Amino acid sequence: MRLTIVLILYLLGPLLIIWLYERFRIFSKIGTIVLAYALGIIMSLSGLVSEASPQTESISQSQNLLQNLCIPLAIPLMLFSSDFLGWMKSLKQTFTAFLCGIVASCAAVVISFLLFRNMGIFELDKAAGLMVGFYSGGTPNVAALSMALQPSSETFLLVNTFEIFITFFLLAFLIGGGYKTIRRFLPYVPDTEPATGVDKVNASDNFEDYRGMLSPNGLKNLLLPLGCSVAVALLAAAFSFLCVGKTYRVISIILIITTLSIILSFWKRLRQCPKMFEAGMYFILVFSIVVASRFQMSNITGQAGGLLGFIAVVLCLCFVLHMLFAKCCRVDADLFTISAVGLIFSPPFVPTVASLLKSRRCLISGIVVGLLGYAVGTYLGILVYMLLQQF
């Protein structure tokens, strides 16, 4: 009975979260990912998935199965709808801002790791890899990296919790008028022309707009993307098990899935299927609930304070380095601001800041930067993790 309740919460919990997100403004402000973590932690604290449960082994096996299935299905669905080639051709300045942010995030993580490596922080190298994912697109990358790097549930949840807490202050700074300060440091180019090339990108149509997804027609439209996702995941798993050693097998599966998904995004018929991003988010929410429910307060040691400091330093360095690189590359202030939002907070946060900047150009650029971050963040996180293991 306990196992049945746990599985229902894992599989149907995201539907409840989506309903709350769509119906109540306060929950839409909180965000679906935070709600998923909250549900998982409540399950953990309630004892529903307690280690003392007589069905512990069955529950643990179910958790492992869901974690291993959700990410390989989510990554393709969230990348299939991306028009990478079109964006890079029509938004050269945006691509420059994106590169500045990517280099800044990797440099910030490496420098911070070197500063904190002797503080005895458990799984600091894995936390560093996760942070690259956070600052190059957000939660989808972090979920993929979690499967590839295999951090403990405690490390994963602490990194998520501290990252959300710290970046809240950055978002508050930007929304509270920080973008005006940035305009004094970087060139300011008012948006006087209508956007071109990618006007079809609209945040409300592409990010967490779940209306109609579960209707008969919506589910029918998802058959092709879901079929392709399953095929990509099976191909990646088959190749990795046949050709890759056990040590790097999981990492290779994630990299192959990401690569094949980007290749398939060039197939126009597939790319234009509606609600793929939202379907991918459903699997991300299941994954988030499962991971949060495995969190055990008793397993937290004195590393929490050091990890919080590490994440704070990464954020500050990332933002400052990004700004310096933007100045060197002559990226204007608003484009820098919106690219930082797209990378650090992910595309769903872009419209809020773009409305403050009063720039349609920035709305599109921020979304493009965030989606490009989705494409490369997993590669970069794994690369940085493997680099840091040499120290």
Side-chain angles (χ1 to χ4, degrees):
M1 183 63 181
R2 186 187 294 266
L3 175 61
T4 302
I5 295 173
V6 169
L7 290 176
I8 289 174
L9 289 173
Y10 283 156
L11 297 175
L12 300 185
L15 300 182
L16 173 62
I17 290 170
I18 290 170
W19 183 80
L20 293 172
Y21 176 84
E22 291 284 336
R23 294 294 183 92
F24 301 98
R25 185 177 180 83
I26 184 173
F27 293 117
S28 67
K29 294 294 183 182
I30 293 173
T32 53
I33 296 297
V34 175
L35 292 173
Y37 289 149
L39 176 57
I41 290 174
I42 290 172
M43 292 175 64
S44 174
L45 296 178
S46 69
L48 190 62
V49 291
S50 170
E51 294 181 357
S53 168
Q55 293 184 299
T56 296
E57 185 175 351
S58 297
I59 291 175
S60 179
Q61 290 174 350
S62 300
Q63 290 171 330
N64 292 334
L65 178 63
L66 288 174
Q67 285 185 228
N68 292 333
L69 286 178
C70 284
I71 301 308
L73 293 176
I75 294 173
L77 289 169
M78 302 182 86
L79 289 175
F80 285 159
S81 61
S82 303
D83 186 7
F84 298 109
L85 183 61
W87 294 335
M88 285 186 281
K89 284 183 176 179
S90 57
L91 294 170
K92 293 182 180 179
Q93 270 294 309
T94 297
F95 193 59
T96 301
F98 162 73
L99 287 177
C100 289
I102 289 297
V103 173
S105 64
C106 292
V109 168
V110 172
I111 293 171
S112 301
F113 175 85
L114 295 176
L115 291 174
F116 283 81
R117 61 176 172 168
N118 294 322
M119 294 185 61
I121 301 175
F122 180 60
E123 294 187 328
L124 182 61
D125 53 350
K126 295 183 179 181
L130 293 176
M131 291 307 297
V132 174
F134 265 122
Y135 296 148
S136 57
T139 301
N141 288 341
V142 176
L145 287 168
S146 175
M147 181 176 176
L149 305 184
Q150 300 287 301
S152 66
S153 298
E154 289 69 37
T155 296
F156 180 80
L157 197 59
L158 281 176
V159 171
N160 275 271
T161 302
F162 291 158
E163 192 275 341
I164 292 170
F165 173 74
I166 294 170
T167 53
F168 167 80
F169 293 100
L170 175 59
L171 186 62
F173 165 73
L174 294 175
I175 294 176
Y179 64 92
K180 296 179 181 177
T181 303
I182 294 171
R183 286 173 177 173
R184 296 176 184 175
F185 181 75
L186 296 175
Y188 173 46
V189 181
D191 188 11
T192 57
E193 298 181 2
T196 59
V198 287
D199 279 353
K200 65 182 180 179
V201 178
N202 183 292
S204 64
D205 292 335
N206 287 274
F207 299 104
E208 297 204 69
D209 180 5
Y210 298 95
R211 290 172 295 181
M213 185 181 77
L214 297 178
S215 66
N217 190 52
L219 293 174
K220 180 180 178 181
N221 290 331
L222 287 173
L223 289 178
L224 175 62
L226 284 171
C228 290
S229 296
V230 172
V232 164
L234 290 176
L235 282 172
F239 178 85
S240 296
F241 275 92
L242 291 174
C243 305
V244 180
K246 187 175 182 180
T247 302
Y248 296 105
R249 189 170 291 161
V250 177
I251 291 176
S252 68
I253 289 174
I254 295 299
L255 292 179
I256 294 170
I257 288 174
T258 302
T259 303
L260 291 178
S261 300
I262 292 173
I263 292 172
L264 282 174
S265 73
F266 291 89
W267 181 16
K268 186 175 181 180
R269 181 186 173 190
L270 177 63
R271 188 172 67 243
Q272 293 181 342
C273 291
K275 304 301 178 184
M276 289 189 291
F277 185 91
E278 289 80 0
M281 277 301 298
Y282 167 83
F283 291 110
I284 293 292
L285 293 176
V286 173
F287 172 84
S288 299
I289 295 171
V290 172
V291 170
S293 70
R294 304 186 84 162
F295 178 75
Q296 296 294 326
M297 188 68 70
S298 59
N299 292 341
I300 296 179
T301 63
Q303 70 158 334
L307 193 57
L308 177 61
F310 168 74
I311 294 172
V313 171
V314 170
L315 174 62
C316 293
L317 273 178
C318 180
F319 194 75
V320 171
L321 289 175
H322 189 182
M323 187 181 297
L324 290 174
F325 294 155
K327 190 172 183 66
C328 293
C329 296
R330 299 180 180 178
V331 174
D332 70 83
D334 286 358
L335 184 53
F336 159 76
T337 300
I338 209 67
S339 64
V341 171
L343 287 172
I344 297 175
F345 299 99
S346 76
F349 287 86
V350 166
T352 300
V353 178
S355 65
L356 293 173
L357 301 176
K358 296 181 173 59
S359 173
R360 169 68 178 167
R361 173 180 65 95
C362 283
L363 171 63
I364 296 171
S365 296
I367 292 172
V368 170
V369 166
L371 289 173
L372 289 173
Y374 284 157
V376 304
T378 303
Y379 298 107
L380 291 174
I382 292 173
L383 180 63
V384 169
Y385 166 72
M386 297 178 73
L387 172 65
L388 296 180
Q389 283 191 311
Q390 307 305 313
F391 291 96

